[in-house]
Amino acid sequence: EYGANIDELQAQIDELVPQIADLEARIADLEAQIEENEAKVEELKQRVLKRMVSSQGTMHFNPMLDFILGSQGFADMLRRTYGVEAITQKEEQDRNAYLDIIEQLEKDKEELSAAKEELDAKKVDLDAKKERAEAMRVFYERIVAETYDQIQALLEEEAQHQMVLSSIVYELDELYKMEYQYGMISMVPGSSIS
């Protein structure tokens, strides 16, 4: 029964080991994906900053007041308006891409955290099963050793009983020979039985 329990625990351990390896691989993939997304976020930030710096230099406005008051005519104001609209559209696209990447990054981090928690739980379960299997194995080996010692003691006791029995049989055989040797029945030594 203990051997069967140990085998069952070992089967559970053998099942957990590849699951843990899969989780570790999934965690590594998520970490790589998070790192890649963080690099994309940084790249988008730099691109937006660069475009803002270059746009301000060519459009000749820093604050909104400069934009409104700095127009030198209707055409200049239209040019600036179209420029701002183009920048705004590109900024909106970059901002949406940035938000999408950030959202994906947060999801990946949550998934990574969940995967790590699952991995930790499986490792704890694995360690507990290993400890239980080891305790059962030690207990089983102790019982086997005790049983072996008991069997050895019984065999030795049986050998002693066999020797006593052999000695009694020998004495009876000798008495039997004596009885027929002398042709009469005599007293059994140390007894009142003839």
Side-chain angles (χ1 to χ4, degrees), residues 42 44 76-77 106 113 119 129 140 144 147 159 171-172 186:
E42 187 58 34
L44 278 172
D76 188 31
M77 192 159 106
E106 290 304 315
S113 177
L119 176 64
K129 285 183 177 174
Y140 174 74
V144 168
T147 305
E171 287 179 17
L172 286 175
S186 63

Side-chain angles (χ1 to χ4, degrees), residues 32-47:
Q33 190 173 358
I34 287 170
E35 197 173 300
E36 181 182 322
N37 282 340
E38 286 174 342
K40 285 180 183 178
V41 165
E42 187 58 34
E43 179 187 330
L44 278 172
K45 278 183 183 178
Q46 293 304 320
R47 195 169 45 191

Side-chain angles (χ1 to χ4, degrees), residues 23-86:
L23 278 173
E24 287 173 341
R26 194 168 112 209
I27 286 170
D29 289 346
L30 282 171
E31 286 173 341
Q33 190 173 358
I34 287 170
E35 197 173 300
E36 181 182 322
N37 282 340
E38 286 174 342
K40 285 180 183 178
V41 165
E42 187 58 34
E43 179 187 330
L44 278 172
K45 278 183 183 178
Q46 293 304 320
R47 195 169 45 191
V48 167
L49 286 173
K50 190 185 258 185
R51 191 171 38 252
M52 286 175 68
V53 167
S54 71
S55 295
Q56 286 180 357
T58 59
M59 302 249 333
H60 303 295
F61 71 93
N62 285 328
M64 185 61 91
L65 187 60
D66 184 30
F67 176 72
I68 295 171
L69 296 177
S71 297
Q72 296 172 355
F74 186 70
D76 188 31
M77 192 159 106
L78 285 177
R79 180 183 61 81
R80 288 183 181 196
T81 303
Y82 289 132
V84 167
E85 186 178 330

